[in-house]
Amino acid sequence: MRRLKVLKSLVRDSIETTTHGSKKYHIWMAFLTFMMLVGMYCYSIQLDQGLSATGMTDRVSWGLYISNFTFLVGVAAAAVMLVMPTYVLKDIDFKQAVLIGEGLAVAALIMCLAFVIADMGGPSVLWHMIPGIGVFNFPNSMLTWDVLVLNGYLFLNLSIPFYILFRHYQGKKSKSSVYVPGAILSVFWAVAIHLVTAFLYQGLQARPFWNNALLGPRFLASAFAAGPALIILVLAVIRTFTAFKIEDKTIKKIAMVVTVAAQINLIMLISELFKEFYAPTHHSESAYYLFFGLHGKDALLPWIWTAIPLNVLATVLLTFHKFRNNFKILFFSCFILFIAIWIEKGFGLIVPGFIPGPYGKIAEYTPTGIEIGVTLGIWALGAFVFTILAKTAINIELGKLRYKK
């Protein structure tokens, strides 16, 4: 009964905290609410007209939604780069950022599930994703494995921070014997969610662009570059607009993780380009379409030739110690790296896999305004959830939120 009483008090205090703030905070939350309403309106049109309201066809059946889903799985998995040093290796420099990283993972996973729902056309088919109720097709379908690992990772990233914050809310220390086993499990689970997502594409033999043994490792490398890059940007905002102190050495250590992952990601990209273009076969047509266009079709050229220079520039800047320790350059590098990997791992991965079709036909894909509206609404949802989680966690960690007996 006492724990239930404390929980009610925590919920009440959290609502009080998240509904009060500065003028800038209210403008930010109002903007996110507006974008979510726009997304809901666009989704209502999609529900009425079906997936014909999107730019997807029977030729290119995965588009903007699955591109964002694939990218956000990596952002969610990146929290492990803070969890492992903090909970497992006892590195106190990461301790300040770990709860923020896990909050970001929760927001990313919620967005992942929202993009899957949007791509399915409507919530009426969701019952098939529930084991034992619909046609779940486990363990034959890789998609069912993806559903299980995503929901399991979401549970871990909710339960571990909740336990720690629940104890701190009561003015007590969290017991490592309770949360460390879950933290260790989440390290392996984070790798699993990304590998399983990679296997989802990799196992499609009829799509040679994805049927690549390097796809899984490259998924991990890009995730551990883009995810921590976003965490650095979020930490920069938090320490600018709140009293929560993030030490310089914490950001510098995360920047080192980003640097190494970005370098590995770039090496793997060069390896893939060599394989596709040094001795090209008819299986290289998807890569030719992506990088140079094919038979006069070149819708993705502006995207990929924006992503590659940004990726190279960010990696070069991060590689040099002098540039990486200059926070203005670091934040700029993290921003362009995040954008580059979003393009490369989104449109640059998903759409070319469908082009050309089985009979050589090229049907190009361009997202519609409805898709873009739904996508912006889901991103706003993720930012809204993260803002609420971060504001509550920061106030608990600062001692402003405490249980009053």
Side-chain angles (χ1 to χ4, degrees):
M1 287 297 293
R2 182 182 177 279
R3 288 179 180 175
L4 185 60
K5 194 175 180 181
V6 176
L7 179 60
K8 288 181 179 179
S9 176
L10 174 59
V11 172
R12 186 171 57 249
D13 287 347
S14 297
I15 294 173
E16 177 74 16
T17 299
T18 54
T19 52
H20 291 78
S22 64
K23 185 178 180 180
K24 290 180 180 178
Y25 171 74
H26 284 294
I27 292 173
W28 169 245
M29 296 301 278
F31 170 73
L32 293 178
T33 303
F34 172 74
M35 293 307 300
M36 284 191 289
L37 290 173
V38 170
M40 290 171 65
Y41 172 72
C42 292
Y43 186 60
S44 70
I45 295 174
Q46 180 178 306
L47 285 178
D48 180 57
Q49 300 181 6
L51 288 174
S52 62
T54 71
M56 291 182 284
T57 62
D58 58 345
R59 299 287 183 180
V60 181
S61 53
W62 288 344
L64 191 59
Y65 298 151
I66 296 301
S67 298
N68 279 277
F69 161 77
T70 308
F71 174 75
L72 286 166
V73 168
V75 173
V80 74
M81 303 308 292
L82 302 180
V83 169
M84 186 166 63
T86 303
Y87 297 146
V88 181
L89 304 178
K90 307 296 182 184
D91 190 326
I92 60 172
D93 293 338
F94 284 92
K95 192 173 184 180
Q96 292 174 305
V98 67
L99 289 175
I100 302 301
E102 290 186 313
L104 202 61
V106 169
L109 288 165
I110 289 173
M111 286 190 281
C112 283
L113 297 173
F115 276 118
V116 170
I117 293 171
D119 187 73
M120 293 172 75
S124 59
V125 293
L126 277 180
W127 64 285
H128 285 301
M129 309 303 287
I130 304 174
I133 298 179
V135 184
F136 196 58
N137 198 23
F138 180 83
N140 296 327
S141 171
M142 285 303 303
L143 184 59
T144 60
W145 284 91
D146 213 24
V147 169
L148 291 175
V149 293
L150 284 173
N151 283 284
Y153 192 61
L154 177 60
F155 173 76
L156 288 172
N157 278 279
L158 277 172
S159 59
I160 296 171
F162 175 78
Y163 167 74
I164 294 171
L165 292 171
F166 190 70
R167 296 283 294 183
H168 291 178
Y169 176 69
Q170 300 173 76
K172 301 176 181 178
K173 288 186 176 181
S174 50
K175 298 177 182 179
S176 59
S177 59
V178 175
Y179 66 81
V180 166
I184 295 173
L185 178 61
S186 72
V187 172
F188 296 99
W189 212 293
V191 176
I193 68 169
H194 227 43
L195 286 181
V196 168
T197 305
F199 293 163
L200 184 63
Y201 304 112
Q202 199 173 327
L204 300 174
Q205 297 93 331
R207 304 290 179 185
F209 188 69
W210 298 332
N211 193 221
N212 183 349
L214 199 57
L215 193 63
R218 188 157 174 240
F219 261 43
L220 291 173
S222 61
F224 296 152
L230 180 60
I231 291 171
I232 287 175
L233 296 174
V234 170
L235 292 178
V237 173
I238 286 174
R239 76 176 197 166
T240 301
F241 293 101
T242 72
F244 194 61
K245 300 298 179 185
I246 307 292
E247 300 290 339
D248 287 355
K249 58 184 178 181
T250 300
I251 293 179
K252 287 179 180 179
K253 281 193 173 184
I254 302 174
M256 182 58 71
V257 172
V258 176
T259 303
V260 174
Q263 290 168 341
I264 296 172
N265 181 56
L266 201 57
I267 291 169
M268 288 184 177
L269 172 61
I270 294 169
S271 177
E272 283 195 354
L273 293 177
F274 177 82
K275 171 253 182 185
E276 296 286 2
F277 299 125
Y278 180 73
T281 66
H282 65 283
H283 290 310
S284 303
E285 289 186 333
S286 297
Y288 266 99
Y289 168 73
L290 174 62
F291 287 98
F292 305 111
L294 195 64
H295 306 317
K297 306 289 187 178
D298 55 5
L300 293 183
L301 283 189
W303 291 92
I304 197 63
W305 288 112
T306 298
I308 298 298
L310 290 180
N311 197 343
V312 173
L313 176 60
T315 305
V316 170
L317 289 175
L318 289 168
T319 300
F320 289 98
H321 188 73
K322 181 180 178 181
F323 293 146
R324 191 172 63 249
N325 284 341
N326 183 322
F327 278 10
K328 289 183 179 179
I329 297 177
L330 172 63
F331 298 152
F332 171 73
S333 301
C334 288
F335 176 74
I336 63 173
L337 181 66
F338 183 81
I339 296 298
I341 293 178
W342 177 81
I343 295 172
E344 180 191 325
K345 202 174 176 185
F347 278 174
L349 173 70
I350 303 303
V351 178
F354 293 98
I355 299 172
Y359 300 107
K361 184 177 179 181
I362 297 177
E364 292 194 292
Y365 163 78
T366 302
T368 63
I370 299 300
E371 280 179 284
I372 294 171
V374 173
T375 299
L376 292 176
I378 292 175
W379 274 93
L381 169 66
F384 190 89
V385 169
F386 173 75
T387 303
I388 290 174
L389 294 175
K391 199 168 194 297
T392 302
I394 287 171
N395 278 278
I396 292 175
E397 291 300 290
L398 291 176
K400 295 180 180 180
L401 272 187
R402 282 291 182 267
Y403 175 61
K404 301 174 184 67
K405 297 182 181 179

